[in-house]
Amino acid sequence: NQRMPRVLQLEDKTSITIDTEPCGSGGSGEVYKILSPTYLTNQVVKLYHKERLTKEAENKIRHLISKKINQGEHESIVWIKNVVLDNGKFAGFTMNYADGIGLEQFLNDRWWRKNDTKDWDKFKLENEKGIENRVRLCSNIAVAINIIHKNSNYTIADIKPSNFKIHKNGLVSIIDIDNIEVVENTKVLYAAQVITPDFSPPEFHNGLDYKQSAASQNWDRYSLGILFYNILCGIHPFLGVGCKSPYDNCTDCPDMIKNGLFLHGKKSD
């Protein structure tokens, strides 16, 4: 059974046809390429899973469209463009297609071993300029995050490798921006729906309810520290096994973060 291309609508009544198979997926929905009209084929549609199609999700998307962040020529933050409707009902949104590879791939040894990576060899840790080029990559990520943080109403709250696309020249695109936390007057207006424990700070692991209490921008900086260490050293900073008592039951990254068990930190012994 071959699936037929699906036809959806934008709010200005434009009909859009999307591909039959998603080109990406995540916890909240699936991403599809736009096949027509031609002038929209540089964009993609994110369709939410059924359980995510709430009035709050729709209101948040409309809010983000109305509060677009200004950025330079390169779209380092892939912002939401239009609401997408399915038979008049909210279904998701459009955004520009982000080229490049996922940072998750970049950090995966298997990808380096199994693919033709000559365009990316300048980032190899064993190459003379590898660290230098990775520092530049970290700098570009920091610049993109700073654009978001300059608007005090936003905390990303879920910084992780799969939310970044990187380009051969080291430029960066942040995707999955619909999960961003929106804060007004220090109160959570729209919470992040997904949090990744391996990249979250101790306050998350110690029970902070991020849907009620605003995650500060320091939360993002902590996650960035983990991400940068991972990029520069090739390993997650809290990845380790065989802790001494009383931490001998700590076996995964969230446990290690909760207990401050950083190899080069205060509890290094």
Side-chain angles (χ1 to χ4, degrees):
N1 272 353
Q2 209 172 5
R3 288 165 69 181
M4 295 290 289
R6 191 168 167 189
V7 179
L8 303 161
Q9 302 79 39
L10 303 182
E11 286 198 296
D12 64 2
K13 304 289 191 277
T14 300
S15 285
I16 57 171
T17 305
I18 63 170
D19 210 345
T20 53
E21 297 297 328
C23 59
S25 63
S28 58
E30 295 180 320
V31 177
Y32 294 83
K33 288 183 177 175
I34 296 177
L35 302 178
S36 70
T38 312
Y39 68 90
L40 291 178
T41 52
N42 63 333
Q43 293 183 29
V44 291
V45 171
K46 181 171 183 177
L47 296 181
Y48 281 130
H49 297 312
K50 200 173 287 184
E51 67 275 10
R52 287 293 302 275
L53 288 171
T54 62
K55 192 64 190 169
E56 184 185 10
E58 179 179 357
N59 290 344
K60 183 178 184 181
I61 293 306
R62 293 184 184 283
H63 178 90
L64 290 172
I65 290 170
S66 71
K67 303 283 186 182
K68 186 178 178 183
I69 282 180
N70 293 321
Q71 38 188 325
E73 191 179 329
H74 168 65
E75 190 184 39
S76 54
I77 305 140
V78 183
W79 208 257
I80 293 155
K81 296 185 84 69
N82 293 290
V83 167
V84 171
L85 305 172
D86 186 6
N87 291 319
K89 292 182 178 175
F90 172 74
F93 60 88
T94 64
M95 58 185 169
N96 284 338
Y97 174 72
D99 214 352
I101 67 163
L103 183 55
E104 206 169 25
Q105 280 177 272
F106 182 90
L107 294 173
N108 187 328
D109 286 341
R110 198 178 295 117
W111 178 77
W112 288 96
R113 289 197 308 270
K114 294 199 168 183
N115 291 276
D116 177 8
T117 61
K118 62 177 178 294
D119 289 338
W120 299 88
D121 281 356
K122 64 182 178 183
F123 292 104
K124 280 186 173 177
L125 285 169
E126 62 267 28
N127 285 0
E128 188 185 353
K129 297 269 187 180
I131 285 285
E132 191 178 315
N133 288 320
R134 285 182 181 231
V135 168
R136 285 205 180 95
L137 178 60
C138 291
S139 174
N140 288 336
I141 291 172
V143 167
I145 300 295
N146 190 47
I147 291 170
I148 293 171
H149 280 184
K150 279 194 291 192
N151 183 321
S152 59
N153 293 335
Y154 295 127
T155 299
I156 298 177
D158 191 37
I159 289 175
K160 59 185 176 186
S162 60
N163 286 349
F164 293 86
K165 285 281 192 83
I166 59 172
H167 309 260
K168 288 179 285 193
N169 59 3
L171 288 178
V172 172
S173 300
I174 303 176
I175 56 177
D176 206 29
I177 213 69
D178 56 304
N179 190 52
I180 200 169
E181 182 179 84
V182 183
V183 177
E184 278 190 3
N185 301 320
T186 71
K187 294 276 192 297
V188 179
L189 188 61
Y190 297 107
Q193 294 300 310
V194 180
I195 296 288
T196 305
D198 283 12
F199 288 85
S200 297
E203 53 264 39
F204 169 77
H205 300 285
N206 287 313
L208 176 72
D209 184 353
Y210 61 91
K211 293 192 178 182
Q212 300 298 325
S213 304
S216 75
Q217 293 185 344
N218 283 336
W219 175 305
D220 282 354
R221 293 185 187 101
Y222 189 95
S223 303
L224 269 184
I226 293 178
L227 192 69
F228 290 168
Y229 188 101
N230 205 338
I231 290 170
L232 296 172
C233 300
I235 190 169
H236 190 292
F238 288 94
L239 200 62
V241 291
C243 295
K244 295 177 187 174
S245 179
Y247 303 110
D248 39 338
N249 289 326
C250 294
T251 55
D252 59 14
C253 291
D255 277 345
M256 307 286 262
I257 293 169
K258 181 178 181 177
N259 290 285
L261 300 176
F262 174 48
L263 180 63
H264 305 292
K266 290 177 182 174
K267 296 180 180 176
S268 59
D269 60 327

